Amino acid sequence: MSRRIVAFFASSFLSVAMSIPASAIEAEGFVLEVNEEARQLQLSDGQTYDLPNDFDYGAVLPGMPVHVIYDVASGHNIYPFSA
């Protein structure tokens, strides 16, 4: 009986997890440019990401490898991802 209960909960969890759309998008690359005035970060693949007002620009330098988790809103790549 316990196997059936475990199987039921496992299948229930997977069903619920698969029905939730993934809204965060991930990207990796090297920093090409950090534009503090425009509040943007550009990666070596040409993609540009809008940064928040409180972003620490001293922590990111051109040439650094980065992993960005972002969301798309109004056609802009927005960092950080906010659920």
Side-chain angles (χ1 to χ4, degrees):
M1 181 68 171
S2 65
R3 278 187 166 185
R4 287 185 179 182
I5 293 172
V6 170
F8 172 75
F9 282 115
S11 64
S12 297
F13 172 76
L14 291 174
S15 296
V16 170
M18 295 302 289
S19 67
I20 299 172
S23 55
I25 307 167
E26 298 183 34
E28 289 186 12
F30 292 92
V31 177
L32 186 63
E33 179 184 8
V34 180
N35 188 334
E36 193 170 345
E37 186 176 304
R39 294 187 351 237
Q40 292 183 331
L41 172 74
Q42 185 177 18
L43 295 187
S44 54
D45 64 359
Q47 291 291 319
T48 302
Y49 303 89
D50 295 342
L51 300 171
N53 293 334
D54 60 347
F55 186 79
D56 181 11
Y57 292 93
V60 181
L61 299 171
M64 290 179 67
V66 294
H67 183 95
V68 180
I69 300 174
Y70 66 98
D71 197 4
V72 177
S74 301
H76 293 270
N77 299 330
I78 309 294
Y79 171 86
F81 164 72
S82 57

